[in-house]
Amino acid sequence: MHISRCTVGIGLLQAIRAAHAQTAIASTTETPAPTTATVTVVDVPTATATTGAYFPPVGSIEPDYSAEGLDELWNVIGSVEAPPFTTTVTPTASVALPSPPPPLYPAFFAPEPKDILPQYKFPAGFKYGVATAAYQVEGAVKDEGKGPTMWDWASRQPGGVADNTTGDIVDLNYYLYKMDTARVAALGLNTHSFSVSWSRILPYGAADSPVNQEGVDHYSDVIDTHLEYGVEPVVTLFHWDTPLALQAYYGGFTSPKIVDDFINYAKAVFSAYNGRVKTWYTFNEPRVFCEQIASYPFNVTYAAGVNTSTAPFHCAYYLLKAHAGAVKAFRAMNISGEIALKNDDFVGTPWRANNTDDAEAVERHAAFQIGIFSDPLYTTGDWPQIMKDTLPEEYLPRFTDEEKADLLGSADFYAIDSYRSWFVSAPDNGVAACVSNTSDPNWPQCNLNMVYDAQAGWAAGVLSDPGTDWLGATPDGARELFNELNRRWPSPKIYVSEFGFSEPFENERTQLYEIKQDVARTNYYMTYLGEILQSIHEDGVPIAGIFAWAMIDNAEWGSGISTKFGIQHVNYTTLERTYKRSAIALSDFWAAHQS
Ligand code: BGC
């Protein structure tokens, strides 16, 4: 299987496939492109270990909803680092923005944020904000009744995270959310998209297990704080932090049992925060999540009968059923607002012009990366035909007519986490040979991402930090992508639910003046926002919100804190936040372009 976002250590199978993909590209004869390490697909592991993870055999821990039962779950994790304080901090002073940074370039070379496409404004009601996820920013993982999650576990497995960062403390946003919200408000941004951690609401995850009122109250105050500061809270129910209990009891998203448990959790969150949250997501990037659980270290935690090859598709099937069930409940409960899930990735451009195999590879890419979760919701209620033609039922369970009916229309808008847009090529043995051979290293996707052009081998975009080899800044492809999304999966409204950039080698900078000077990230945001304005005004694409990933530096999954996405720096000794140039640029851009 070809994985285009590798967020954790990479399994042996993936390692072999990624290696093959590199060979395939390097040996392609049509291009004079370099044959060195710049010849790359985007699947580069951020950690090296591929074995050594331990998880209790699935089913060996019986559901036990007592304090002892919770201890047993935490024992799977081992010891947890306690945060330096355990009460919510209330800011005592208002947040002052720093004096404006000097222009980066002469105006003839690059305009300042306010001068970019000044004729275009964002439409009324536009959501212009930032994004985070519970595991990546909260810390306080064992506080106030929370149960462990699979990322609390994964971060402790050998090689699970490149720099061994755990979520134990990170940004301690769990106690610092008031300050963090005040700092977003000070920038003038109007929205923050964050996730609720399932195991804070239900420490044992399961539908028949007790609700943790402290967890419910926590997010209630987080939401109220946002409303007080005029920062709209947008809530994601699941951003990859599966309750460890459910993995231990039955294998998490590799088991059908997850469906009812997720629906129950969703209902608890809907009823707790109904009326205060207007935009909801069930799942963040299900494709990345389902591929993540097919890799090390999660590949030792499956339900019986599931393996690394089938896990992503079984996960996709149960996750979609969970999504549809949650949306059904949302509507039956008359919850106010709108709901969808967050797709990710790009459609792609054929690597070689007029090459039918590459054109077919693009279609495969669109199907396996986006169509997998978009066709069922927006166009057919079913998997993309390409997937059904490729994958036998033991890999890809088929939907019943009733399931299709539940899926189709189960999203009120379209959301895309849109970080990049690469070229796509056929594998060097061609699409047909790959598709017909289940042992082909690129099966079943049978397409490759290409990060340089086919003619002269020029990089397709601005390179990011080495910890995120899947990422490059490719603003030139943004409009085409939004047009394609709008054409293929039409919806009344599109949110760019995440976009962002890892400043190359930011982790090696030691002085604040160096860290704050995040030029590549600033350029990323300014160029993408210009493209987004053009998409809205020149292409008529109904983009209604953007969310910069991320509000602050955070635990970047398998890369830990070594790869930075924040528009604010976090000093991991003092937990102090500092605005980077990109934060000020985003603020200035919004001030000049809001209607
Ligand atoms: C995910 C985030 C992640 C970001 C940068 C998105 O795919 O939703 O959790 O940190 O990309 O890798």
Side-chain angles (χ1 to χ4, degrees):
M1 183 184 58
H2 179 245
I3 297 177
S4 61
R5 293 284 310 269
C6 192
T7 49
V8 291
I10 175 171
L12 186 57
L13 190 63
Q14 284 76 25
I16 294 166
R17 285 171 175 171
H20 172 89
Q22 293 202 6
T23 312
I25 295 167
S27 65
T28 301
T29 48
E30 285 88 330
T31 173
T35 53
T36 63
T38 57
V39 179
T40 180
V41 288
V42 291
D43 306 345
V44 177
T46 49
T48 46
T50 55
T51 56
Y54 175 74
F55 194 76
V58 168
S60 63
I61 296 183
E62 293 283 327
D64 167 3
Y65 306 146
S66 67
E68 293 72 39
L70 194 58
D71 283 347
E72 191 180 5
L73 297 170
W74 276 111
N75 285 343
V76 176
I77 303 288
S79 64
V80 164
E81 203 180 341
F85 50 88
T86 54
T87 47
T88 301
V89 175
T90 303
T92 46
S94 58
V95 179
L97 290 186
S99 60
L104 265 179
Y105 305 108
F108 64 75
F109 180 67
E112 289 195 54
K114 67 177 173 37
D115 298 323
I116 296 169
L117 300 171
Q119 71 277 28
Y120 292 146
K121 306 281 176 227
F122 291 108
F126 198 83
K127 296 188 203 301
Y128 189 98
V130 290
T132 57
Y135 174 78
Q136 295 180 270
V137 299
E138 281 183 353
V141 288
K142 208 175 168 180
D143 291 11
E144 302 198 341
K146 178 177 165 291
T149 72
M150 285 309 286
W151 265 97
D152 295 325
W153 170 82
S155 60
R156 288 170 162 79
Q157 302 313 301
V161 172
D163 63 4
N164 297 320
T165 299
T166 68
D168 292 5
I169 298 178
V170 278
D171 301 330
L172 208 53
N173 167 266
Y174 188 79
Y175 294 121
L176 292 171
Y177 60 91
K178 287 184 195 285
M179 178 181 84
D180 282 334
T181 312
R183 294 181 65 84
V184 173
L187 290 171
L189 314 193
N190 66 18
T191 324
H192 175 202
S193 167
F194 57 88
S195 74
V196 168
S197 182
W198 185 342
S199 64
R200 285 199 192 276
I201 306 292
L202 291 146
Y204 312 85
D208 59 351
S209 68
V211 167
N212 173 35
Q213 195 55 40
E214 273 186 296
V216 175
D217 293 346
H218 169 76
Y219 290 112
S220 183
D221 197 51
V222 170
I223 289 166
D224 285 346
T225 301
H226 280 76
L227 296 172
E228 279 157 28
Y229 278 102
V231 177
E232 184 185 336
V234 167
V235 168
T236 300
L237 296 176
F238 181 81
H239 197 125
W240 306 353
D241 47 355
T242 313
L244 181 140
L246 303 184
Q247 204 78 31
Y249 300 158
Y250 55 69
F253 280 87
T254 60
S255 160
K257 293 187 181 158
I258 198 76
V259 177
D260 284 346
D261 284 345
F262 180 79
I263 296 169
N264 170 71
Y265 158 61
K267 285 180 176 169
V269 178
F270 294 152
S271 54
Y273 311 127
N274 184 24
R276 289 183 283 163
V277 176
K278 300 289 178 215
T279 300
W280 303 81
Y281 301 110
T282 50
F283 288 97
N284 176 72
E285 299 188 7
R287 183 198 60 86
V288 178
F289 171 69
C290 289
E291 288 185 355
Q292 186 178 91
I293 66 164
S295 311
Y296 179 85
F298 299 97
N299 55 358
V300 295
T301 70
Y302 298 152
V306 178
N307 58 44
T308 48
S309 303
T310 56
F313 305 108
H314 286 242
C315 168
Y317 175 67
Y318 301 132
L319 185 148
L320 277 169
K321 287 179 50 150
H323 162 86
V327 173
K328 213 175 193 178
F330 182 89
R331 291 174 181 164
M333 291 163 77
N334 265 323
I335 302 299
S336 63
E338 52 184 9
I339 189 160
L341 55 71
K342 290 166 75 186
N343 294 278
D344 82 290
D345 222 4
F346 58 95
V347 172
T349 310
W351 189 50
R352 293 161 293 195
N354 305 319
N355 180 300
T356 48
D357 229 21
D358 284 0
E360 204 180 329
V362 167
E363 289 311 308
R364 299 191 70 78
H365 190 258
F368 276 90
Q369 307 299 111
I370 308 184
I372 177 173
F373 294 103
S374 286
D375 282 20
L377 272 53
Y378 298 93
T379 54
T380 64
D382 201 358
W383 305 114
Q385 192 62 42
I386 286 177
M387 293 187 69
K388 288 195 291 180
D389 290 346
T390 309
L391 290 160
E393 217 169 319
E394 62 264 31
Y395 284 81
L396 186 71
R398 302 307 200 246
F399 294 116
T400 63
D401 286 345
E402 198 186 334
E403 288 167 350
K404 288 182 199 166
D406 284 346
L407 280 164
L408 189 60
S410 65
D412 298 322
F413 57 93
Y414 196 86
I416 184 82
D417 289 2
S418 182
Y419 283 80
R420 55 174 182 161
S421 184
W422 298 126
F423 295 110
V424 174
S425 90
D428 66 345
N429 55 341
V431 169
C434 171
V435 170
S436 62
N437 176 8
T438 55
S439 11
D440 189 290
N442 293 308
W443 189 87
Q445 284 83 353
C446 297
N447 68 81
L448 302 172
N449 293 345
M450 301 300 292
V451 300
Y452 59 89
D453 74 32
Q455 288 77 42
W458 294 111
V462 178
L463 307 179
S464 69
D465 186 79
T468 46
D469 292 45
W470 53 270
L471 178 61
T474 53
D476 279 354
R479 271 172 81 179
E480 185 188 326
L481 169 60
F482 299 136
N483 277 326
E484 276 299 296
L485 295 174
N486 199 28
R487 185 177 71 78
R488 289 172 188 252
W489 301 287
S491 183
K493 195 193 259 189
I494 298 179
Y495 291 135
V496 178
S497 39
E498 282 180 29
F499 70 134
F501 200 64
S502 56
E503 183 77 15
F505 303 104
E506 186 174 325
N507 194 41
E508 290 175 20
R509 302 178 190 176
T510 53
Q511 306 298 313
L512 258 187
Y513 77 87
E514 300 169 318
I515 293 164
K516 290 196 299 186
Q517 188 72 316
D518 56 343
V519 173
R521 183 179 296 113
T522 302
N523 289 344
Y524 175 97
Y525 281 124
M526 295 304 100
T527 50
Y528 269 77
L529 287 170
E531 297 291 337
I532 286 167
L533 279 175
Q534 292 183 89
S535 287
I536 296 169
H537 291 279
E538 296 176 27
D539 305 338
V541 178
I543 299 176
I546 59 98
F547 299 83
W549 183 274
M551 174 180 82
I552 41 177
D553 288 340
N554 59 76
E556 174 54 25
W557 307 113
S559 306
I561 54 170
S562 316
T563 294
K564 317 275 190 191
F565 274 90
I567 61 167
Q568 299 183 68
H569 167 68
V570 176
N571 176 322
Y572 285 108
T573 308
T574 63
L575 293 175
E576 194 182 346
R577 280 71 160 141
T578 304
Y579 294 117
K580 302 177 192 172
R581 180 182 272 273
S582 58
I584 306 302
L586 279 162
S587 171
D588 290 351
F589 196 96
W590 176 232
H593 294 87
Q594 56 183 294
S595 48

